Amino acid sequence: MLAFENVSLNYGSFRALDEVSLHANEGELVVLLGANGAGKSSIFLAASGLQKACAGSIRYGDCQLVGMKPSRIVEQGVVQCPEGRKLFPGMSVMKNLMLGAYVHRRDKTGNRKRLDEVMALFPVLEHKQNDPAGSLSGGQQQMVAIGRALMGRPKVLLLDEPSLGLAPLVVKQVFEVISQINRAGTTVLLAEQNAFAALKIAHRAYVLERGRIVLEGDRDSLMSNEAIRKAYIGT
Amino acid sequence: MDLFFQQVLNGLTLGGVYCLVALGLTLVYGVLHVPNFAHGAFYMAGAFVSFHLMTAWGWPYWLAMLGSAACVALLAVLAERLVFHPLRHASPLHPMIAAIGVLLFLEAAAQAIWGADFQRMQSPYTGIVDLAGVTAPVQRLLIIGAAFALVVIVHLFLTRTVTGSTIVAMAQTREGAALVGINANRVAMLTFALSGVLAAVAATLYAPINLVYPAMGHLVITKAFVIIILGGMGSVPGAIAGGLIIGLAESFGAFYVSDHYKDIIAFTLLVVILSLRPQGLFPNAAR
């Protein structure tokens, strides 16, 4: 469904991605593991068109995403929930969510239905819908960010470090919701440092180091891989 | 006491015009981080286009204002496309210098077309009303009414409509805006167009009690910069409050201190307020 083929990305003279190839099949939940600076976010920035890959191709169905405008990519159904959330802090929660549906702004009934689904997924947001998003706790902001991405009706959802800076209990909630979103049929690409929690809900995973894919496999093979356990799970 | 209210009236007139100009400037800064010095030239162009439509083509005042708003909006969009858009990845200094370039270009163009002379724009509203002892020229009341109506309309546009929200969204989080599918180019053009409309309307409102000449934008743009620095760069409520503060301070200062120092007051106020509140009056206000 979404496939990277030999994608390279440079920031000036720094090579952030070096011939990365990976794919996510329809309905899969694929995890990207790796330390800070390994290139996880760069993969997402390239997929969303915020950074232009200097070589290789990113295919989504029949579309070539390299060189496509970010707004067009969202229209295609590839929606990112970025690291650091990037909410509109001065706007209400409701407005953040409704702007998430910006590309579907003409379909008002569809958006209302979608909004109900998002609220059902994150019941806490119901009472906070008129508060400015910037006033919420980190966990709630993350829920708004995921909710906002869902309002864009993603076929492929790119989640960049959704657990970053959250309390353990909230992390658990967030991962449950991600698993739920995936089971409802959305393809998910999830970048995480929290390898154990991420692998538990994943189908497959890739391990990145210094802009290269060094390992890939399904959940069970990676969970039992000695090097992975040492480097990322810590047991 | 009548003299006091007279100054309030004058201050609101000036403040209304400053609000409109500063609003356009702060929106452009908020969305594109360009300190648009050319905004003063948009203001000047707005006055000249209205002047031309009224004197050469005989258009009525309000129609000329609309025509001028459309022309200057187009001019602003052209400036964005041809000058600022190609510089979007350059260091911040480049668009700043380019903005000064646009300012000089537009001024020279105006001088070539209309000459360097001072012109007087006739307003159909020359009457004077007496409001409980305060002498109020109709044109001044018109400026106050129209400016505040427009500020309210812009506010509603930014907060109540989806299109307006895209401007606010991009000012708050550029990347977030791109990731929900907001087209940055469209927002940039829209913001420039809006700033052009505001500048043209402000100029057409103010010109009948002032003069029209190619350098008329200088003082207005420097004061608009003072206002948005005071109010917090990119802040809409800051621009409105700042505009009123400067307008009232100037009219009171001119009356109670000395008319000669009128134009210095804004800058003195800037120095005083920034030394007390370096972050501006409305730091990261809900833009």
Side-chain angles (χ1 to χ4, degrees):
Chain A
M1 187 157 199
L2 181 70
F4 281 59
E5 266 168 54
N6 301 318
V7 173
S8 296
L9 177 66
N10 297 333
Y11 298 123
S13 63
F14 174 70
R15 174 147 280 213
L17 294 179
D18 192 9
E19 303 200 334
V20 167
S21 297
L22 58 84
H23 68 276
N25 298 320
E26 191 161 358
E28 262 190 327
L29 198 164
V30 177
V31 168
L32 303 177
L33 298 175
N36 268 335
K40 303 189 296 295
S41 295
S42 298
I43 287 178
F44 286 176
L45 290 177
S48 287
L50 293 182
Q51 291 288 344
K52 197 167 183 294
C54 60
S57 87
I58 305 172
R59 304 195 64 80
Y60 166 68
D62 298 326
C63 305
Q64 172 60 252
L65 299 188
V66 176
M68 205 184 261
K69 273 192 193 145
S71 52
R72 286 279 299 140
I73 293 176
V74 175
E75 282 167 20
Q76 299 298 313
V78 179
V79 184
Q80 182 182 166
C81 172
E83 184 182 347
R85 309 187 264 268
K86 303 285 187 318
L87 293 175
F88 309 118
M91 291 190 198
S92 69
V93 167
M94 179 58 84
K95 211 146 182 211
N96 269 276
L97 293 175
M98 290 320 283
L99 273 176
Y102 177 73
V103 296
H104 306 289
R105 59 193 174 280
R106 288 194 180 84
D107 177 15
K108 293 219 164 68
T109 41
N111 288 338
R112 215 163 295 134
K113 188 164 151 275
R114 193 78 185 170
L115 185 68
D116 290 340
E117 290 168 19
V118 169
M119 286 300 186
L121 220 47
F122 303 110
V124 267
L125 297 184
E126 192 98 44
H127 313 287
K128 301 271 183 185
Q129 50 177 286
N130 295 320
D131 295 8
S135 72
L136 269 53
S137 72
Q140 288 165 349
Q141 287 193 24
Q142 188 61 56
M143 293 172 194
V144 178
I146 296 175
R148 186 179 69 178
L150 288 176
M151 290 300 292
R153 306 182 199 175
K155 296 191 184 81
V156 178
L157 178 62
L158 310 173
L159 284 163
D160 197 355
E161 306 244 17
S163 75
L164 200 70
L166 302 186
L169 203 64
V170 184
V171 173
K172 209 173 150 233
Q173 274 177 20
V174 167
F175 275 104
E176 258 160 37
V177 169
I178 294 169
S179 176
Q180 216 173 318
I181 293 166
N182 173 244
R183 283 200 304 272
T186 309
T187 308
V188 177
L189 201 57
L190 168 67
E192 260 301 329
Q193 303 223 31
N194 193 337
F196 187 65
L199 280 176
K200 268 208 305 203
I201 60 169
H203 297 107
R204 285 188 305 117
Y206 293 88
V207 179
L208 279 136
E209 267 174 31
R210 273 176 254 130
R212 289 171 164 276
I213 299 224
V214 292
L215 200 63
E216 65 169 292
D218 60 16
R219 172 185 50 200
D220 298 331
S221 73
L222 285 176
M223 280 280 220
S224 57
N225 182 306
E226 201 54 38
I228 292 292
R229 294 192 75 90
K230 274 220 179 83
Y232 296 103
I233 299 176
T235 51
Chain B
M1 212 50 198
D2 286 352
L3 284 174
F4 176 84
F5 285 114
Q6 188 74 53
Q7 296 324 308
V8 173
L9 180 81
N10 291 346
L12 288 176
T13 313
L14 267 179
V17 172
Y18 289 163
C19 278
L20 293 184
V21 178
L23 204 53
L25 191 65
T26 210
L27 283 173
V28 165
Y29 184 83
V31 169
L32 294 142
H33 302 284
V34 174
N36 187 15
F37 293 100
H39 198 65
F42 294 162
Y43 175 84
M44 176 273 301
F48 266 113
V49 172
S50 290
F51 171 76
H52 188 84
L53 291 177
M54 286 171 71
T55 52
W57 295 10
W59 289 26
Y61 182 67
W62 293 106
L63 198 61
M65 184 186 286
L66 274 182
S68 161
C71 282
V72 179
L74 185 69
L75 192 67
V77 171
L78 277 178
E80 196 278 330
R81 280 294 95 184
L82 299 177
V83 180
F84 298 111
H85 183 72
L87 291 173
R88 67 197 181 285
H89 298 305
S91 94
L93 195 61
H94 295 190
M96 204 158 111
I97 295 170
I100 297 171
V102 174
L103 169 78
L104 296 175
F105 173 80
L106 289 176
E107 264 182 43
Q111 191 163 337
I113 300 171
W114 291 289
D117 294 341
F118 291 78
Q119 317 268 10
R120 186 166 281 284
M121 187 197 284
Q122 297 300 330
S123 157
Y125 305 96
T126 48
I128 288 172
V129 276
D130 190 69
L131 293 170
V134 178
T135 321
V138 177
Q139 182 68 27
R140 282 188 182 262
L141 295 176
L142 209 66
I143 293 175
I144 299 174
F148 289 103
L150 196 55
V151 166
V152 170
I153 290 171
V154 169
H155 172 78
L156 291 177
F157 171 68
L158 291 176
T159 52
R160 299 287 162 85
T161 68
V162 178
T163 314
S165 301
T166 59
I167 295 182
V168 184
M170 204 159 129
Q172 290 189 1
T173 326
R174 251 189 122 72
E175 211 171 69
L179 288 175
V180 297
I182 292 171
N183 184 333
N185 281 336
R186 260 181 58 188
V187 176
M189 286 193 277
L190 178 68
T191 311
F192 262 89
L194 184 58
S195 87
V197 167
L198 291 170
V201 171
T204 311
L205 283 171
Y206 196 48
I209 57 170
N210 217 309
L211 294 166
V212 181
Y213 53 102
M216 67 186 284
H218 290 180
L219 213 49
V220 175
I221 188 66
T222 38
K223 283 180 191 162
F225 267 108
V226 169
I227 289 162
I228 71 168
I229 293 168
L230 278 185
M233 303 283 278
S235 158
V236 168
I240 297 166
L244 288 177
I245 291 173
I246 299 291
L248 288 167
E250 279 191 359
S251 103
F252 277 97
F255 185 72
Y256 290 105
V257 184
S258 157
D259 198 29
H260 299 300
Y261 295 130
K262 175 172 167 271
D263 289 325
I264 253 180
I265 290 167
F267 306 100
T268 317
L269 215 58
L270 175 72
V271 174
V272 172
I273 293 185
L274 282 192
S275 45
L276 297 174
R277 274 182 74 84
Q279 67 275 46
L281 296 175
F282 295 81
N284 53 49
R287 284 166 172 163

